[in-house]
Amino acid sequence: MSHINDHSQQAMPMTQPHNIQRILLAQPRGFCAGVERAISIVEKALEIYGPPVYVRHEIVHNAYVVEDLRRKGAVFVREVDEIPAGGITVFSAHGVSEKVESSAKLRELPVIDATCPLVTKVHYEAKHYEKDGREIVLIGHQGHPEVEGTSGRVKQTVHVIGTPEEAEKLEVNNPDMLAYVTQTTLSLDETRDVIAVLTRRFPSIKGPGEKDICYATQNRQNAVRMMAPHVQLLLVIGAPNSSNSNRLRDLGAEMGVRAFLVQGAQEVQQEWLAGVTQVGITAGASAPELLVQQVIDRLKEWCPAAVVEGFEGIVESVHFKLPREVRSPILRPSTDNVTQGAA
Ligand code: SF4
């Protein structure tokens, strides 16, 4: 759990009775098509090939999801060299660099790629710009696995910047031969500001505008934007390392709402409800609906309130096809090694 609004630092007096009248649920919230696909890939791989299935990195950024898959037989590793020979290997939704892909290939690991197709699209863009002879700027958060994956899709060194200030200070080799791409889960406003600085400083820079920000990130941010004027408290369910969840919390706080990022019901604090009549709830793209329902139950234990489902939002209908490796048993895991645990 974390918070950024100054109000949120002060504990509210417990003497004030809770008076929540409505709990508004953002629409859309929670799982996106890329996360649903990645989780299904691991589940189907376990079904078809049997456990263990080795997953490089957390399949999606959510401890509940990871634990659930671990219980079913998934083994999470940091690098492919921790996977025993022949072990069924899944790359996470965030995507991987070419180096990771080649090291799996070199070891002849049977790989299933759960990279979200929208991240793969950004990989292609970066490669396309490099082929054009352009130097690449990646707007994103240093150290995020998606940023590492995208940076590692091109041969040159990529400039990773996250703020307009960093864009102001950016030094490049050839200002006339530049291109940018972005992480898919950024704040729309911040990205727009960074792009504005880049295009002012480097008028011939090429880039996709805000189109790399994925539909799910945009829709969840728009839903918070619509809901914020109607609530005094916003609870965002998501992991501390989930980029899109953090952006939802930031957006609520920027709009003047006390906003908290919580991993689940156990982190919601009763004193946050003092003086609140309407609570807004949303969830990051990797947070399961079960966690949302548990937060609602906890709030209702403290104060009976009407739940308003789907507050003014749009209904998403995006689905991504599963890869062929989990549509039929075409991989050949090595029976010698797959029963061992990871290093
Ligand atoms: Fe794909 Fe967007 Fe979901 Fe990330 S948040 S997995 S880019 S759909």
Side-chain angles (χ1 to χ4, degrees):
M1 179 276 298
S2 56
H3 49 79
I4 57 168
N5 192 314
D6 281 349
H7 295 288
S8 59
Q9 307 275 4
Q10 302 155 11
M12 293 291 179
M14 290 297 296
T15 48
Q16 203 168 347
H18 303 317
N19 187 29
I20 317 173
Q21 283 156 15
R22 298 209 304 167
I23 299 169
L24 310 186
L25 303 182
Q27 170 75 41
R29 62 177 182 275
F31 279 2
C32 60
V35 162
E36 276 177 359
R37 176 177 179 270
I39 296 170
S40 295
I41 286 174
V42 179
E43 287 176 338
K44 293 218 174 286
L46 285 164
E47 238 171 76
I48 296 176
Y49 303 105
V53 162
Y54 296 88
V55 184
R56 184 190 175 272
H57 192 78
E58 289 184 339
I59 184 76
V60 299
H61 282 154
N62 189 275
Y64 179 90
V65 172
V66 167
E67 251 334 290
D68 186 48
L69 292 174
R70 192 174 273 138
R71 265 196 305 273
K72 292 175 182 164
V75 175
F76 292 87
V77 297
R78 259 182 295 188
E79 290 307 335
V80 287
D81 56 14
E82 295 169 49
I83 300 170
I88 293 284
T89 300
V90 177
F91 293 151
S92 80
H94 311 98
V96 296
S97 65
E98 270 176 5
K99 197 168 151 218
V100 170
E101 207 170 60
S102 328
S103 78
K105 201 177 259 176
L106 200 69
R107 296 197 47 222
E108 298 181 346
L109 292 172
V111 169
I112 311 171
D113 189 357
T115 304
C116 176
L118 301 181
V119 175
T120 305
K121 183 186 93 166
V122 179
H123 291 176
Y124 283 131
E125 277 169 12
K127 283 156 91 93
H128 164 77
Y129 287 133
E130 181 176 58
K131 218 162 142 203
D132 262 9
R134 293 181 181 271
E135 206 172 329
I136 312 283
V137 180
L138 170 52
I139 306 171
H141 297 291
Q142 194 74 254
H144 189 279
E146 183 185 324
V147 168
E148 285 172 5
T150 303
S151 305
R153 286 281 148 183
V154 293
K155 309 231 168 346
Q156 58 180 285
T157 305
V158 169
H159 304 277
V160 179
I161 56 168
T163 62
E165 294 72 34
E166 285 169 4
E168 290 288 0
K169 288 190 210 136
L170 178 68
E171 285 176 18
V172 297
N173 296 324
N174 185 351
D176 295 326
M177 283 304 279
L178 278 183
Y180 69 85
V181 291
T182 87
Q183 190 181 328
T184 55
T185 49
L186 298 177
S187 139
L188 276 164
D189 292 337
E190 260 175 16
T191 307
R192 202 171 290 134
D193 293 348
V194 174
I195 294 171
V197 174
L198 289 176
T199 46
R200 172 176 49 74
R201 289 194 58 209
F202 311 107
S204 57
I205 193 167
K206 296 256 187 225
E210 295 144 28
K211 289 199 199 100
D212 285 349
I213 309 281
C214 81
Y215 80 96
T217 302
Q218 295 194 17
N219 289 347
R220 280 150 193 70
Q221 288 178 14
N222 289 342
V224 165
R225 215 182 291 277
M226 280 194 285
M227 195 167 72
H230 303 276
V231 298
Q232 298 92 35
L233 173 68
L234 174 70
L235 301 177
V236 179
I237 295 139
N241 58 346
S242 157
S243 173
N244 77 88
S245 305
N246 276 288
R247 301 293 78 76
L248 294 174
R249 186 270 321 271
D250 293 350
L251 180 60
E254 279 159 23
M255 294 190 70
V257 180
R258 269 196 298 149
F260 295 89
L261 177 62
V262 292
Q263 298 202 66
Q266 72 287 354
E267 290 185 358
V268 180
Q269 293 178 27
Q270 218 170 341
E271 63 259 31
W272 297 345
L273 308 181
V276 170
T277 54
Q278 306 220 91
V279 182
I281 297 183
T282 187
S286 42
E289 182 62 17
L290 177 77
L291 301 180
V292 173
Q293 294 307 323
Q294 288 172 352
V295 169
I296 296 169
D297 291 346
R298 186 157 175 103
L299 292 176
K300 290 183 88 171
E301 270 169 30
W302 291 330
C303 188
V307 177
V308 182
E309 177 62 69
F311 184 73
E312 289 185 2
I314 61 158
V315 177
E316 291 175 340
S317 57
V318 179
H319 293 287
F320 297 131
K321 202 169 155 187
L322 291 174
R324 61 195 183 99
E325 295 87 350
V326 290
R327 282 185 268 135
S328 53
I330 56 172
L331 293 177
R332 293 218 177 87
S334 152
T335 44
D336 294 344
N337 295 293
V338 291
T339 47
Q340 298 169 19

